[in-house]
Amino acid sequence: NWLSSSKTAMLSLILMALLSSHGSNIIIYMAALHGIDNTYFEAAEIDGATFLQKVRYIVFPLCKPTTLFLLVTGIMNAYMMTGGGPDNNTTMIGLLIFNNAFTYGKYGLACAQAIILALVIGLLTMLQFKVMGDDIEY
């Protein structure tokens, strides 16, 4: 039983996080790819672009907003499969904030943790926007 052992519980959560979201991400990317107008590809063929050039200069730039969305939402996902797990080895930040506020009644601590979490998510989101470039329309 992987989730009840303190040695394998965190590995189980990491594996679940890595493997569980691929299906929905593929569906979202497929929708983004179907949204690219064929005239871009036709113009690239007329200009003599190779497959890799089409991917680099058409697909990647037009899928940047989708990639940014998946990165931002992926960072905010926290999985609470074990309720903190064996010996609190798998307590995620969301569960920690919830427990401090509603189980232990430490509202000030929970509020401070939530504000720090919001700041960290905001900073990571700003970093992702910076890395993805300035050409994304909001």
Side-chain angles (χ1 to χ4, degrees):
N1 193 358
W2 286 27
L3 294 177
S4 64
S5 171
S6 62
K7 293 180 181 177
T8 58
M10 186 55 79
L11 176 64
S12 301
L13 291 178
I14 291 170
L15 282 173
M16 191 274 310
L18 289 174
L19 298 175
S20 68
S21 63
H22 292 310
S24 59
N25 290 351
I26 288 172
I27 291 171
I28 292 171
Y29 268 120
M30 289 302 294
L33 290 173
H34 284 291
I36 298 174
D37 194 4
N38 282 336
T39 57
Y40 294 118
F41 295 109
E42 292 169 1
E45 276 187 37
I46 291 171
D47 290 339
T50 65
F51 173 77
L52 292 176
Q53 288 173 329
K54 291 176 194 175
V55 170
R56 181 177 179 197
Y57 294 109
I58 297 172
V59 174
F60 283 164
L62 293 178
C63 286
K64 266 188 177 182
T66 303
T67 303
L68 180 65
F69 168 76
L70 291 175
L71 285 173
V72 170
T73 56
I75 256 191
M76 290 188 282
N77 285 335
Y79 297 96
M80 293 185 270
M81 285 177 51
T82 62
D87 302 325
N88 289 324
N89 284 335
T90 60
T91 300
M92 301 293 178
I93 187 70
L95 181 61
L96 180 67
I97 293 169
F98 178 85
N99 283 341
N100 280 331
F102 301 111
T103 304
Y104 308 125
K106 298 178 181 178
Y107 299 110
L109 177 62
C111 183
Q113 290 170 335
I115 290 171
I116 290 172
L117 176 62
L119 290 174
V120 168
I121 289 173
L123 288 173
L124 289 173
T125 302
M126 286 175 27
L127 178 67
Q128 287 173 344
F129 271 92
K130 192 73 164 171
V131 168
M132 293 301 292
D134 296 330
D135 58 340
I136 296 177
E137 294 181 22
Y138 306 106

